[in-house]
Amino acid sequence: MKRTTIPTLLLLCLLAGAATLCRVDPARAAQSVRPNIVFIFSDDHAYQALSAYGSRLIRTPNLDRIARGGTRFDRCLVTNSICGPSRAVILTGKYSHRNGFYNNTNSRFDGAQATFPKLLQRGGYQTAMIGKWHLVSDPTGFDYWDILPGQGQYYNPPMIRNGERLRRDGYVTDIITDLSLEWLGKRDTSRPFLLMCQHKAPHREWAPNLKYLEPFDRRYPEPDTLFDDYRGRGIAEQNQDMTLAKTMTEGDLKLSAPAYLNPEQRAAWDAYYEPRNAEFRRANLRGEALVRWRYQRYMHDYLGCIASVDESVGRVLDYLKENNLEQNTLVIYASDQGFYLGEHWWFDKRWIFEESLRTPLLVRWPGVTKPGSVSRALVSNLDVAETVLEAAGVPVPADMQGRSLVSLLQGRRPRDWRRSFYYHYYEYPGPHSVAKHYGVVTDRHKLVHFYEPGWNYWELFDRREDPKELRSVYGQPEYAETQRRLEAELTRLRAELKVPAQDAPESLIRPARAPNPPPRPVR
Ligand code: CA
């Protein structure tokens, strides 16, 4: 066991008659010893599209309820900015090179290893996983699981319930929410629970609920780096395949309808998109005008997906309140990574740069989190497992690599809290052609190494001087001392985290399965 657990501390406080010194109301302390855990996870939700983070694109009143009632983390960084790997990190509290899930192309999660749901289950919790799983192997450590196979689909999705394949009608975010509330209604009320409610949305191809097609027909502000010229950065940034200009497909842009709609859904879909698509085709846009049109269509669809995620969060929060569960439930909202909403011409994720590295993290734990508090500490998806285990009073395995956030949730930042963070991305060659890279991140700087043959170079960014990370200052004399310090820190972190000097063979994309076929270009 790594550290003293919260329940142990609470018990000591009570026994010592020192309840006034405890941060938790002693009248509720007995109940709080084993809180329920609701972990709501979305896929590719950019912090730029969440109003608690000051979004200029959308209002998310229900997600904001979590922030208002608890703690908003402003610098939650992921270790490897891509879907499956982030999920494996969440479950294990370990980096990709320790949990074995490196990329979405050929990794398969080893479900025999220790995960926090498994440890909670052994500790007496009832556990459920509902929604997007995306780890190839079947879930382990859950009394109930009801998952989307692979990436899942937005409408009428096939699902797998405890091994049984079935199909459900409707919109995926609503279905995952319905199933989550249904499970809560049937659970054994004598025991605490862990519910992992994991959405597909707003993952590509960001297909919104039909009811949000009209309401999101607005004009959205463009990011000021939409037409980035990539000067000041290297070949990897210039040679990716994730731009609004060349990578988006007809399906992404809703210029063709998905095959999985039923006739009624298809009619509603066509009623919205077809007249607008006809107008678009008549306009015969080119160059920047075409990219601007694509950006507007992308935002319409992406933000419509976010609206359903927000609505889902509201339904879960309402359920907790109406069933007297609110006070004794730790609610966590996060996305598996950040996402580009047109910055640098991009959609997708993968980079160590801020929009993809940083993910939303909102945590509410009544009696522990101070309502409306904000933490700027460097935290990570790596920390979720240990946080939940500590909250539940379950011992933390010594080989987990994160750190419990409980002290931060209590408003205390330990003096030895991390001041630097290690990042490592592996999926190349692969979709979107982002080169492999690793690096170290601090409050102010990033030192990045692109390390493949032909792409081998370093970059250094100073976010205080250059918040949008447009200009590497690597090798500049005035940064020599910073560079030396960061290089030493990177070496220290790689040793501490046991990163192999050469990438492990299982991290390499095998030619038989890589890469995915190139996306169909837009005509
Ligand atoms: Ca994702």
Side-chain angles (χ1 to χ4, degrees):
M1 181 176 143
K2 274 174 111 175
R3 286 165 210 103
T4 313
T5 62
I6 273 289
T8 311
L9 289 171
L10 286 170
L11 192 61
L12 288 172
C13 286
L14 288 169
L15 287 174
T20 52
L21 297 176
C22 295
R23 296 187 62 86
V24 179
D25 177 3
R28 283 198 299 98
Q31 294 176 351
S32 312
V33 167
R34 284 161 70 83
N36 304 307
I37 317 286
V38 173
F39 178 74
I40 307 175
F41 205 43
S42 56
D43 193 331
D44 295 354
H45 188 177
Y47 59 84
Q48 307 92 300
L50 205 163
S51 48
Y53 288 103
S55 175
R56 52 185 199 144
L57 297 166
I58 189 171
R59 281 202 63 247
T60 49
N62 293 300
L63 285 159
D64 293 4
R65 277 164 71 185
I66 306 178
R68 255 200 327 276
T71 304
R72 184 189 84 202
F73 288 90
D74 277 4
R75 205 111 193 283
C76 179
L77 312 182
V78 298
T79 66
N80 180 1
S81 177
I82 182 170
C83 311
S86 174
R87 288 151 201 275
V89 169
I90 293 272
L91 291 171
T92 61
K94 292 178 184 171
Y95 273 84
S96 306
H97 65 273
R98 302 294 281 178
N99 68 43
F101 201 102
Y102 293 88
N103 61 61
N104 281 346
T105 304
N106 61 3
S107 291
R108 179 185 179 86
F109 188 68
D110 170 12
Q113 64 189 308
T115 63
F116 84 82
K118 204 182 280 185
L119 295 167
L120 250 54
Q121 191 183 41
R122 282 184 200 150
Y125 273 69
Q126 48 196 319
T127 58
M129 160 67 225
I130 296 168
K132 186 164 177 182
W133 172 249
H134 203 210
L135 288 168
V136 188
S137 57
D138 283 347
T140 54
F142 297 98
D143 302 319
Y144 179 86
W145 51 274
D146 204 337
I147 61 169
L148 301 165
Q151 289 281 9
Q153 67 186 42
Y154 272 102
Y155 285 87
N156 317 319
M159 294 188 75
I160 311 175
R161 180 179 59 197
N162 288 353
E164 178 198 356
R165 289 183 174 267
L166 36 91
R167 178 181 295 273
R168 292 192 170 92
D169 294 326
Y171 184 64
V172 69
T173 307
D174 296 343
I175 292 169
I176 290 168
T177 313
D178 292 344
L179 292 171
S180 297
L181 299 185
E182 216 172 278
W183 182 80
L184 283 172
K186 286 188 201 157
R187 76 188 199 284
D188 169 6
T189 55
S190 69
R191 291 191 293 146
F193 65 83
L194 162 71
L195 167 64
M196 299 184 82
C197 170
Q198 304 200 159
H199 292 294
K200 169 182 174 59
H203 190 278
R204 193 182 186 185
E205 72 287 7
W206 40 84
N209 192 323
L210 299 168
K211 71 179 178 181
Y212 287 127
L213 294 181
E214 288 284 349
F216 279 81
D217 192 8
R218 303 171 193 163
R219 183 98 197 145
Y220 297 98
E222 293 172 359
D224 55 12
T225 55
L226 179 60
F227 299 111
D228 189 355
D229 60 12
Y230 304 125
R231 270 188 296 189
R233 282 144 294 157
I235 191 172
E237 290 95 324
Q238 292 157 22
N239 281 272
Q240 36 59 41
D241 181 21
M242 51 188 276
T243 65
L244 295 171
K246 66 175 181 181
T247 315
M248 278 200 167
T249 64
E250 293 212 340
D252 291 339
L253 291 164
K254 317 300 180 294
L255 294 168
S256 60
Y260 49 67
L261 298 173
N262 67 29
E264 191 186 341
Q265 292 161 344
R266 178 64 192 263
W269 180 280
D270 287 348
Y272 178 80
Y273 285 113
E274 274 311 306
R276 289 162 179 84
N277 291 348
E279 191 185 331
F280 163 73
R281 290 188 176 102
R282 275 195 302 274
N284 199 23
L285 303 172
R286 291 283 180 271
E288 291 193 358
L290 176 60
V291 170
R292 293 202 147 104
W293 182 88
R294 287 180 184 168
Y295 171 75
Q296 293 298 330
R297 175 58 61 88
Y298 171 34
M299 284 304 94
H300 169 270
D301 299 338
Y302 182 92
L303 297 169
C305 289
I306 298 295
S308 290
V309 171
D310 186 66
E311 194 176 80
S312 166
V313 167
R315 290 179 62 201
V316 173
L317 296 181
D318 288 348
Y319 183 95
L320 296 177
K321 191 175 177 129
E322 287 158 12
N323 290 277
N324 291 323
L325 292 165
E326 185 177 83
Q327 289 303 312
N328 196 34
T329 300
L330 166 59
V331 177
I332 302 175
Y333 178 82
S335 168
D336 56 354
Q337 23 40 226
F339 212 66
Y340 292 91
L341 304 184
E343 299 89 354
H344 318 290
W345 306 73
W346 293 341
F347 65 98
D348 211 69
K349 53 256 180 179
R350 300 163 195 274
W351 304 94
I352 194 173
F353 304 127
E354 210 64 7
E355 292 88 347
S356 42
L357 175 72
R358 221 186 107 188
T359 196
L361 177 64
L362 307 171
V363 183
R364 186 184 78 181
W365 189 3
V368 177
T369 47
K370 184 178 164 205
S373 54
V374 173
S375 171
R376 295 188 174 83
L378 288 183
V379 303
S380 173
N381 58 343
L382 191 66
D383 301 330
V384 168
E386 292 181 45
T387 304
V388 171
L389 290 172
E390 183 177 3
V394 173
V396 175
D399 61 350
M400 284 192 174
Q401 296 181 301
R403 186 156 179 186
S404 166
L405 302 176
V406 167
S407 55
L408 296 174
L409 295 174
Q410 292 170 318
R412 290 185 298 106
R413 181 161 163 171
R415 291 166 65 94
D416 62 347
W417 192 260
R418 71 164 75 86
R419 291 187 169 81
S420 65
F421 179 76
Y422 180 70
Y423 180 82
H424 202 146
Y425 172 77
Y426 298 87
E427 192 174 68
Y428 186 87
H432 301 298
S433 295
V434 173
K436 291 177 193 174
H437 58 288
Y438 63 83
V440 58
V441 180
T442 67
D443 274 344
R444 178 171 169 183
H445 297 102
K446 280 179 197 174
L447 178 70
V448 191
H449 187 200
F450 293 91
Y451 62 95
E452 290 172 287
W455 307 75
N456 196 333
Y457 64 97
W458 290 81
E459 289 183 331
L460 173 61
F461 294 93
D462 180 348
R463 291 180 53 250
R464 196 172 77 183
E465 303 299 322
D466 174 25
K468 296 186 187 341
E469 303 166 306
L470 300 176
R471 186 174 60 96
S472 170
V473 293
Y474 187 82
Q476 295 190 3
E478 63 269 37
Y479 282 93
E481 172 54 25
T482 302
Q483 193 173 305
R484 191 202 55 72
R485 189 169 45 74
L486 288 168
E487 281 164 354
E489 182 60 8
L490 183 58
T491 303
R492 188 193 70 76
L493 281 171
R494 281 174 61 92
E496 180 184 282
L497 297 167
K498 301 183 168 66
V499 184
Q502 298 291 322
D503 286 350
E506 58 271 27
S507 76
L508 306 177
I509 307 289
R510 292 191 294 270
R513 291 195 56 188
N516 288 346
R520 195 152 56 99
V522 174
R523 284 188 292 278

Short mmCIF file of all heavy atoms in Angstrom, two decimals, residues 117-155:
data_model
loop_
_atom_site.label_atom_id
_atom_site.label_comp_id
_atom_site.label_asym_id
_atom_site.label_seq_id
_atom_site.Cartn_x
_atom_site.Cartn_y
_atom_site.Cartn_z
N PRO A 117 -10.92 -0.80 -11.21
CA PRO A 117 -12.24 -1.44 -11.01
C PRO A 117 -12.13 -2.83 -10.38
O PRO A 117 -12.93 -3.20 -9.53
CB PRO A 117 -12.81 -1.52 -12.43
CG PRO A 117 -12.09 -0.46 -13.19
CD PRO A 117 -10.71 -0.43 -12.61
N LYS A 118 -11.10 -3.58 -10.82
CA LYS A 118 -10.91 -4.92 -10.27
C LYS A 118 -10.62 -4.85 -8.76
O LYS A 118 -11.15 -5.64 -7.97
CB LYS A 118 -9.73 -5.55 -11.02
CG LYS A 118 -9.73 -7.03 -11.03
CD LYS A 118 -8.50 -7.56 -11.74
CE LYS A 118 -8.65 -7.51 -13.26
NZ LYS A 118 -7.51 -8.13 -13.94
N LEU A 119 -9.79 -3.89 -8.38
CA LEU A 119 -9.44 -3.76 -6.96
C LEU A 119 -10.64 -3.29 -6.14
O LEU A 119 -10.85 -3.74 -5.02
CB LEU A 119 -8.26 -2.79 -6.81
CG LEU A 119 -6.96 -3.29 -7.45
CD1 LEU A 119 -5.93 -2.17 -7.54
CD2 LEU A 119 -6.38 -4.46 -6.66
N LEU A 120 -11.45 -2.42 -6.73
CA LEU A 120 -12.67 -1.99 -6.05
C LEU A 120 -13.64 -3.16 -5.89
O LEU A 120 -14.26 -3.33 -4.84
CB LEU A 120 -13.35 -0.86 -6.86
CG LEU A 120 -13.31 0.53 -6.25
CD1 LEU A 120 -11.92 0.97 -5.90
CD2 LEU A 120 -13.98 1.56 -7.15
N GLN A 121 -13.75 -3.95 -6.95
CA GLN A 121 -14.66 -5.11 -6.90
C GLN A 121 -14.23 -6.06 -5.79
O GLN A 121 -15.05 -6.52 -4.99
CB GLN A 121 -14.63 -5.82 -8.26
CG GLN A 121 -15.70 -6.88 -8.43
CD GLN A 121 -15.55 -7.59 -9.77
OE1 GLN A 121 -14.44 -7.90 -10.20
NE2 GLN A 121 -16.66 -7.85 -10.43
N ARG A 122 -12.93 -6.31 -5.71
CA ARG A 122 -12.42 -7.19 -4.63
C ARG A 122 -12.64 -6.56 -3.27
O ARG A 122 -12.77 -7.25 -2.27
CB ARG A 122 -10.93 -7.45 -4.83
CG ARG A 122 -10.67 -8.47 -5.90
CD ARG A 122 -9.17 -8.76 -6.00
NE ARG A 122 -8.87 -9.35 -7.30
CZ ARG A 122 -7.73 -9.21 -7.95
NH1 ARG A 122 -6.74 -8.50 -7.43
NH2 ARG A 122 -7.54 -9.78 -9.12
N GLY A 123 -12.69 -5.24 -3.24
CA GLY A 123 -12.89 -4.53 -1.98
C GLY A 123 -14.36 -4.41 -1.60
O GLY A 123 -14.69 -3.68 -0.67
N GLY A 124 -15.26 -5.05 -2.35
CA GLY A 124 -16.67 -5.08 -1.96
C GLY A 124 -17.56 -4.15 -2.76
O GLY A 124 -18.77 -4.08 -2.52
N TYR A 125 -17.00 -3.42 -3.70
CA TYR A 125 -17.82 -2.55 -4.55
C TYR A 125 -18.52 -3.36 -5.63
O TYR A 125 -17.98 -4.36 -6.11
CB TYR A 125 -16.94 -1.51 -5.24
CG TYR A 125 -16.70 -0.24 -4.43
CD1 TYR A 125 -15.92 -0.27 -3.27
CD2 TYR A 125 -17.27 0.96 -4.82
CE1 TYR A 125 -15.71 0.88 -2.53
CE2 TYR A 125 -17.06 2.12 -4.09
CZ TYR A 125 -16.28 2.07 -2.94
OH TYR A 125 -16.06 3.23 -2.21
N GLN A 126 -19.70 -2.91 -6.02
CA GLN A 126 -20.29 -3.46 -7.25
C GLN A 126 -19.88 -2.52 -8.38
O GLN A 126 -19.86 -1.30 -8.22
CB GLN A 126 -21.80 -3.61 -7.15
CG GLN A 126 -22.50 -2.40 -6.62
CD GLN A 126 -23.91 -2.69 -6.16
OE1 GLN A 126 -24.64 -3.43 -6.81
NE2 GLN A 126 -24.27 -2.11 -5.05
N THR A 127 -19.55 -3.11 -9.50
CA THR A 127 -18.88 -2.33 -10.55
C THR A 127 -19.59 -2.52 -11.89
O THR A 127 -20.00 -3.62 -12.25
CB THR A 127 -17.42 -2.79 -10.68
OG1 THR A 127 -17.39 -4.19 -10.98
CG2 THR A 127 -16.63 -2.54 -9.42
N ALA A 128 -19.71 -1.43 -12.63
CA ALA A 128 -20.36 -1.50 -13.95
C ALA A 128 -19.60 -0.63 -14.94
O ALA A 128 -19.12 0.46 -14.60
CB ALA A 128 -21.81 -1.02 -13.86
N MET A 129 -19.50 -1.12 -16.15
CA MET A 129 -18.85 -0.39 -17.26
C MET A 129 -19.87 -0.34 -18.40
O MET A 129 -20.24 -1.39 -18.94
CB MET A 129 -17.58 -1.16 -17.63
CG MET A 129 -17.03 -0.87 -19.01
SD MET A 129 -16.42 0.80 -19.19
CE MET A 129 -17.16 1.20 -20.77
N ILE A 130 -20.30 0.87 -18.73
CA ILE A 130 -21.34 1.01 -19.76
C ILE A 130 -20.89 2.03 -20.80
O ILE A 130 -20.55 3.17 -20.47
CB ILE A 130 -22.68 1.45 -19.10
CG1 ILE A 130 -23.15 0.32 -18.16
CG2 ILE A 130 -23.74 1.74 -20.16
CD1 ILE A 130 -24.27 0.69 -17.25
N GLY A 131 -20.86 1.59 -22.08
CA GLY A 131 -20.53 2.51 -23.16
C GLY A 131 -19.28 2.10 -23.91
O GLY A 131 -19.05 0.94 -24.20
N LYS A 132 -18.45 3.10 -24.23
CA LYS A 132 -17.29 2.84 -25.07
C LYS A 132 -16.13 2.26 -24.25
O LYS A 132 -15.69 2.88 -23.29
CB LYS A 132 -16.84 4.11 -25.78
CG LYS A 132 -15.72 3.82 -26.78
CD LYS A 132 -15.52 4.94 -27.75
CE LYS A 132 -14.35 4.63 -28.67
NZ LYS A 132 -14.07 5.71 -29.62
N TRP A 133 -15.62 1.15 -24.67
CA TRP A 133 -14.54 0.45 -23.97
C TRP A 133 -13.25 0.57 -24.78
O TRP A 133 -12.24 1.07 -24.32
CB TRP A 133 -14.96 -1.00 -23.77
CG TRP A 133 -13.93 -1.92 -23.23
CD1 TRP A 133 -13.31 -2.95 -23.89
CD2 TRP A 133 -13.40 -1.94 -21.90
NE1 TRP A 133 -12.43 -3.59 -23.06
CE2 TRP A 133 -12.45 -2.99 -21.83
CE3 TRP A 133 -13.61 -1.16 -20.75
CZ2 TRP A 133 -11.75 -3.29 -20.67
CZ3 TRP A 133 -12.91 -1.46 -19.59
CH2 TRP A 133 -11.99 -2.51 -19.56
N HIS A 134 -13.29 0.06 -26.02
CA HIS A 134 -12.23 0.30 -27.00
C HIS A 134 -10.85 -0.23 -26.62
O HIS A 134 -9.83 0.37 -26.94
CB HIS A 134 -12.13 1.82 -27.29
CG HIS A 134 -11.51 2.12 -28.61
ND1 HIS A 134 -10.79 3.26 -28.86
CD2 HIS A 134 -11.48 1.40 -29.75
CE1 HIS A 134 -10.35 3.24 -30.10
NE2 HIS A 134 -10.76 2.12 -30.67
N LEU A 135 -10.83 -1.37 -25.91
CA LEU A 135 -9.54 -1.94 -25.53
C LEU A 135 -9.35 -3.35 -26.11
O LEU A 135 -8.49 -4.09 -25.65
CB LEU A 135 -9.40 -1.95 -24.00
CG LEU A 135 -9.19 -0.56 -23.40
CD1 LEU A 135 -9.35 -0.58 -21.89
CD2 LEU A 135 -7.82 0.00 -23.78
N VAL A 136 -10.18 -3.72 -27.07
CA VAL A 136 -10.09 -4.96 -27.85
C VAL A 136 -10.49 -6.19 -27.03
O VAL A 136 -11.42 -6.91 -27.39
CB VAL A 136 -8.71 -5.15 -28.50
CG1 VAL A 136 -8.73 -6.33 -29.46
CG2 VAL A 136 -8.26 -3.88 -29.23
N SER A 137 -9.79 -6.47 -25.92
CA SER A 137 -10.17 -7.62 -25.09
C SER A 137 -11.44 -7.28 -24.31
O SER A 137 -11.81 -6.10 -24.19
CB SER A 137 -9.03 -7.96 -24.13
OG SER A 137 -8.71 -6.83 -23.34
N ASP A 138 -12.10 -8.32 -23.76
CA ASP A 138 -13.32 -8.07 -22.98
C ASP A 138 -12.97 -7.39 -21.65
O ASP A 138 -11.90 -7.61 -21.10
CB ASP A 138 -14.04 -9.39 -22.67
CG ASP A 138 -14.79 -9.91 -23.90
OD1 ASP A 138 -14.96 -9.15 -24.87
OD2 ASP A 138 -15.21 -11.08 -23.86
N PRO A 139 -13.91 -6.58 -21.12
CA PRO A 139 -13.67 -5.95 -19.82
C PRO A 139 -13.49 -6.99 -18.71
O PRO A 139 -14.11 -8.05 -18.74
CB PRO A 139 -14.93 -5.13 -19.58
CG PRO A 139 -15.55 -4.94 -20.93
CD PRO A 139 -15.19 -6.17 -21.71
N THR A 140 -12.63 -6.70 -17.76
CA THR A 140 -12.50 -7.52 -16.55
C THR A 140 -12.66 -6.61 -15.34
O THR A 140 -12.35 -5.42 -15.41
CB THR A 140 -11.12 -8.20 -16.47
OG1 THR A 140 -10.09 -7.20 -16.58
CG2 THR A 140 -10.92 -9.22 -17.59
N GLY A 141 -13.15 -7.18 -14.26
CA GLY A 141 -13.31 -6.40 -13.03
C GLY A 141 -14.67 -5.74 -12.90
O GLY A 141 -14.87 -4.89 -12.05
N PHE A 142 -15.62 -6.15 -13.76
CA PHE A 142 -16.96 -5.54 -13.71
C PHE A 142 -18.04 -6.61 -13.48
O PHE A 142 -18.04 -7.64 -14.14
CB PHE A 142 -17.25 -4.79 -15.02
CG PHE A 142 -16.31 -3.64 -15.25
CD1 PHE A 142 -15.21 -3.78 -16.09
CD2 PHE A 142 -16.51 -2.43 -14.60
CE1 PHE A 142 -14.33 -2.73 -16.28
CE2 PHE A 142 -15.63 -1.37 -14.79
CZ PHE A 142 -14.54 -1.51 -15.63
N ASP A 143 -18.95 -6.31 -12.56
CA ASP A 143 -20.10 -7.19 -12.35
C ASP A 143 -21.04 -7.12 -13.56
O ASP A 143 -21.73 -8.07 -13.87
CB ASP A 143 -20.89 -6.76 -11.11
CG ASP A 143 -20.02 -6.77 -9.87
OD1 ASP A 143 -19.22 -7.72 -9.73
OD2 ASP A 143 -20.11 -5.84 -9.05
N TYR A 144 -21.05 -5.94 -14.17
CA TYR A 144 -21.93 -5.74 -15.33
C TYR A 144 -21.17 -4.92 -16.35
O TYR A 144 -20.54 -3.93 -16.01
CB TYR A 144 -23.19 -4.98 -14.88
CG TYR A 144 -24.16 -4.69 -16.00
CD1 TYR A 144 -25.12 -5.62 -16.38
CD2 TYR A 144 -24.12 -3.47 -16.68
CE1 TYR A 144 -26.00 -5.36 -17.43
CE2 TYR A 144 -25.00 -3.21 -17.73
CZ TYR A 144 -25.93 -4.15 -18.10
OH TYR A 144 -26.80 -3.90 -19.13
N TRP A 145 -21.19 -5.37 -17.59
CA TRP A 145 -20.63 -4.52 -18.65
C TRP A 145 -21.49 -4.58 -19.88
O TRP A 145 -22.07 -5.61 -20.22
CB TRP A 145 -19.17 -4.83 -18.95
CG TRP A 145 -18.78 -6.25 -19.23
CD1 TRP A 145 -18.46 -7.19 -18.29
CD2 TRP A 145 -18.63 -6.89 -20.51
NE1 TRP A 145 -18.11 -8.37 -18.91
CE2 TRP A 145 -18.20 -8.21 -20.27
CE3 TRP A 145 -18.79 -6.48 -21.83
CZ2 TRP A 145 -17.96 -9.13 -21.31
CZ3 TRP A 145 -18.55 -7.39 -22.85
CH2 TRP A 145 -18.14 -8.69 -22.59
N ASP A 146 -21.62 -3.45 -20.51
CA ASP A 146 -22.50 -3.30 -21.66
C ASP A 146 -21.81 -2.29 -22.56
O ASP A 146 -21.87 -1.08 -22.33
CB ASP A 146 -23.86 -2.79 -21.16
CG ASP A 146 -24.98 -3.14 -22.13
OD1 ASP A 146 -24.68 -3.36 -23.32
OD2 ASP A 146 -26.14 -3.17 -21.69
N ILE A 147 -21.09 -2.81 -23.55
CA ILE A 147 -20.14 -1.94 -24.26
C ILE A 147 -20.42 -1.88 -25.76
O ILE A 147 -21.04 -2.77 -26.34
CB ILE A 147 -18.68 -2.40 -24.04
CG1 ILE A 147 -18.47 -3.84 -24.58
CG2 ILE A 147 -18.31 -2.32 -22.57
CD1 ILE A 147 -17.02 -4.27 -24.65
N LEU A 148 -19.91 -0.82 -26.36
CA LEU A 148 -19.91 -0.71 -27.82
C LEU A 148 -18.72 -1.50 -28.33
O LEU A 148 -17.61 -1.33 -27.82
CB LEU A 148 -19.72 0.76 -28.23
CG LEU A 148 -20.77 1.74 -27.73
CD1 LEU A 148 -20.27 3.17 -27.91
CD2 LEU A 148 -22.09 1.55 -28.48
N PRO A 149 -18.91 -2.36 -29.33
CA PRO A 149 -17.73 -3.00 -29.90
C PRO A 149 -16.88 -1.97 -30.65
O PRO A 149 -17.43 -1.14 -31.37
CB PRO A 149 -18.30 -4.05 -30.86
CG PRO A 149 -19.72 -3.69 -31.07
CD PRO A 149 -20.16 -2.76 -29.97
N GLY A 150 -15.58 -2.03 -30.48
CA GLY A 150 -14.67 -1.12 -31.20
C GLY A 150 -15.00 0.33 -30.96
O GLY A 150 -15.24 0.76 -29.84
N GLN A 151 -15.06 1.10 -32.05
CA GLN A 151 -15.36 2.53 -31.95
C GLN A 151 -16.84 2.78 -31.68
O GLN A 151 -17.22 3.85 -31.24
CB GLN A 151 -14.98 3.24 -33.25
CG GLN A 151 -13.49 3.36 -33.49
CD GLN A 151 -12.85 4.47 -32.69
OE1 GLN A 151 -13.47 5.08 -31.81
NE2 GLN A 151 -11.59 4.74 -32.97
N GLY A 152 -17.68 1.81 -31.98
CA GLY A 152 -19.13 2.00 -31.81
C GLY A 152 -19.70 2.85 -32.93
O GLY A 152 -18.96 3.39 -33.76
N GLN A 153 -21.03 2.94 -32.99
CA GLN A 153 -21.64 3.83 -33.98
C GLN A 153 -22.67 4.73 -33.31
O GLN A 153 -23.21 4.41 -32.26
CB GLN A 153 -22.21 3.04 -35.16
CG GLN A 153 -23.38 2.16 -34.84
CD GLN A 153 -23.78 1.28 -36.04
OE1 GLN A 153 -22.94 0.74 -36.75
NE2 GLN A 153 -25.07 1.16 -36.27
N TYR A 154 -22.96 5.87 -33.94
CA TYR A 154 -23.77 6.90 -33.29
C TYR A 154 -25.26 6.57 -33.19
O TYR A 154 -25.93 6.97 -32.25
CB TYR A 154 -23.58 8.24 -33.99
CG TYR A 154 -22.41 9.03 -33.45
CD1 TYR A 154 -21.19 9.08 -34.11
CD2 TYR A 154 -22.53 9.72 -32.24
CE1 TYR A 154 -20.12 9.81 -33.60
CE2 TYR A 154 -21.47 10.45 -31.72
CZ TYR A 154 -20.27 10.49 -32.40
OH TYR A 154 -19.23 11.21 -31.88
N TYR A 155 -25.76 5.88 -34.22
CA TYR A 155 -27.18 5.55 -34.20
C TYR A 155 -27.36 4.04 -34.24
O TYR A 155 -26.64 3.34 -34.94
CB TYR A 155 -27.89 6.18 -35.41
CG TYR A 155 -28.09 7.66 -35.24
CD1 TYR A 155 -27.11 8.56 -35.62
CD2 TYR A 155 -29.25 8.15 -34.64
CE1 TYR A 155 -27.27 9.91 -35.44
CE2 TYR A 155 -29.43 9.52 -34.46
CZ TYR A 155 -28.44 10.39 -34.86
OH TYR A 155 -28.61 11.73 -34.66
#
